[in-house]
Amino acid sequence: MKKALLIITTCLLAAGCSSNQVECLYNCKPTYPNHNGNINGGNINTGNVNNEQAMQALLAYLGVQVKKQWGDDEFLQAGKHRYVKYFDGYRTRAHIDFDNGKIYVSTVAQYAPEATLKKAIEETLLMPADPSQVDLFSDKSIPLNGKPFLLGQVKDHDNQDIQWPWRAGRFADYLIENKLHTKPLKRGTAYYVEIDMVSDHLEQREYQYADLIKRASRQYGISEDLIYAVVKTESSFNPFAVSHAGAYGLMQVIPKTAGADVFKLVKNKPGIPTKDYLFDPANNIDTGTAYLHILQTRYLRDVRNPTTKHYSMISAYNSGTGGVLSTFDSDRQRAMDKLNQLQPNQAYWALTNKHPKLEARRYLEKVLNFQKEFQSL
């Protein structure tokens, strides 16, 4: 582990490491120095590398490149509810705020900024729905093939869907001519446009995954409304979602924990899922739902009341079974006994007021509220 991080740290300091080399920690077996200082075939892979630290390394590399162009104050990176993609030597970026329904496309390029901005607008509007085609950790261009992810979530100035390059180009021209803004920065000027998403953009994204959620629900015996509620809480139906903890995709699956459990206990597969595997919406929803199944039927099988078990498995999806049980006692068996002595409303109160992690307290409440919304549809 220390050797793997040493490679990244040295690479970043020397500014000679590419994003592909950094990403190698997830999906390949790079070489590293042995105890004699020689280079040999390494065994570094996703299973041996701390996922959170590897993600931090990727973000650190991205930060170095972006801050060279934008400065420290303007650094922005992708998150659970936010899509951020850089282009053109990290001088141009697209930012989708899924919670507020806003798209911002900006550039700090000082040569032909309008042409640069137009290309970035087109790539953003037409980016494919397949997250594997979009490298969030580099400035690579996006291949414009397949159905656009934002189709139906954005309308052009004629209130039409944007599916084809000619319409995206025409809308980009309109935005640059009529909606172009500038902002002075320490290192120059930023040029940007702001695009409003349609009012039901969240529902438009929900529809994209309805079949996948229905399939997972039937396979693992988890209600559709719960899966929908978890996806909405975790990512706002953003398939490009990432977190500092090294979680990926719609249900924010962490490879070394939930992913590893699903591979071992459900799929009977060795190792843990890769980043690319979990960015695939079908794999992500399948893995996240399978983990809910594991929580329900294995880790929390001794919780007797079905409503209490429901509360516990939602909380455990966020914080782990250990976090749930530690709410009631430091000893796991005593904790289970105490949990089974409580009424569901008492267990809910404890998990939303006494759980060791504040995020977990809020998480249970959010998911249950969203679940009620989906039950009423």
Side-chain angles (χ1 to χ4, degrees), residues 81-277:
H81 299 254
R82 180 174 65 208
Y83 168 95
V84 178
K85 169 71 178 127
Y86 287 89
F87 309 90
D88 183 38
Y90 302 92
R91 290 183 290 269
T92 305
R93 75 176 171 217
H95 166 207
I96 304 175
D97 181 346
F98 289 105
D99 285 341
N100 295 304
K102 295 283 188 179
I103 301 172
Y104 308 91
V105 185
S106 316
T107 186
V108 292
Q110 300 305 300
Y111 173 75
E114 293 185 1
T116 301
L117 203 57
K118 178 179 179 179
K119 185 175 185 294
I121 293 171
E122 293 171 348
E123 288 195 27
T124 302
L125 294 173
L126 297 174
M127 68 178 177
D130 178 6
S132 69
Q133 300 294 308
V134 182
D135 185 354
L136 295 177
F137 305 106
S138 79
D139 65 336
K140 293 179 182 176
S141 295
I142 299 173
L144 304 183
N145 50 49
K147 180 181 177 181
F149 169 67
L150 289 172
L151 183 64
Q153 300 180 59
V154 179
K155 303 285 187 180
D156 69 5
H157 53 296
D158 293 325
N159 199 35
Q160 299 297 311
D161 286 337
I162 304 167
Q163 185 170 4
W164 311 110
W166 68 267
R167 189 174 287 282
R170 197 178 71 153
F171 187 38
D173 288 335
Y174 168 82
L175 291 169
I176 291 170
E177 183 177 348
N178 297 278
K179 305 290 184 178
L180 182 63
H181 302 279
T182 60
K183 178 182 178 180
L185 303 179
K186 292 179 180 178
R187 302 190 180 190
T189 302
Y191 301 82
Y192 70 96
V193 297
E194 178 181 329
I195 306 170
D196 290 321
M197 302 176 75
V198 298
S199 59
D200 65 341
H201 64 92
L202 179 64
E203 289 78 7
Q204 294 290 331
R205 292 195 299 283
E206 292 171 13
Y207 299 150
Q208 295 188 30
Y209 309 112
D211 289 342
L212 299 178
I213 290 174
K214 182 176 294 186
R215 184 192 312 162
S217 173
R218 290 174 177 172
Q219 182 171 356
Y220 297 111
I222 302 297
S223 66
E224 290 184 36
D225 50 80
L226 176 57
I227 303 171
Y228 274 110
V230 170
V231 176
K232 184 174 181 179
T233 304
E234 293 287 356
S235 67
S236 290
F237 293 87
N238 167 22
F240 306 92
V242 295
S243 78
H244 285 278
Y248 301 107
L250 293 162
M251 297 186 74
Q252 285 294 277
V253 178
I254 297 179
K256 68 173 184 176
T257 53
D261 280 354
V262 171
F263 266 29
K264 178 181 179 181
L265 302 175
V266 178
K267 304 294 184 183
N268 294 317
K269 296 171 64 174
I272 65 178
T274 64
K275 172 172 62 67
D276 288 341
Y277 180 92

Side-chain angles (χ1 to χ4, degrees), residues 227-341:
I227 303 171
Y228 274 110
V230 170
V231 176
K232 184 174 181 179
T233 304
E234 293 287 356
S235 67
S236 290
F237 293 87
N238 167 22
F240 306 92
V242 295
S243 78
H244 285 278
Y248 301 107
L250 293 162
M251 297 186 74
Q252 285 294 277
V253 178
I254 297 179
K256 68 173 184 176
T257 53
D261 280 354
V262 171
F263 266 29
K264 178 181 179 181
L265 302 175
V266 178
K267 304 294 184 183
N268 294 317
K269 296 171 64 174
I272 65 178
T274 64
K275 172 172 62 67
D276 288 341
Y277 180 92
L278 291 175
F279 266 139
D280 181 293
N283 292 336
N284 193 281
I285 290 172
D286 177 83
T287 305
T289 307
Y291 184 61
L292 285 169
H293 171 77
I294 291 171
L295 292 171
Q296 183 181 60
T297 62
R298 188 182 182 93
Y299 294 152
L300 295 167
R301 66 181 181 274
D302 292 333
V303 180
R304 292 193 290 266
N305 186 286
T307 302
T308 301
K309 180 180 288 188
H310 186 70
Y311 296 157
S312 299
M313 62 187 281
I314 292 173
S315 185
Y317 190 89
N318 174 262
S319 66
T321 307
V324 170
L325 295 178
S326 66
T327 303
F328 304 96
D329 199 286
S330 58
D331 179 84
R332 293 175 74 92
Q333 186 55 57
R334 287 200 301 267
M336 185 63 71
D337 293 340
K338 289 180 180 179
L339 181 57
N340 280 322
Q341 292 170 13

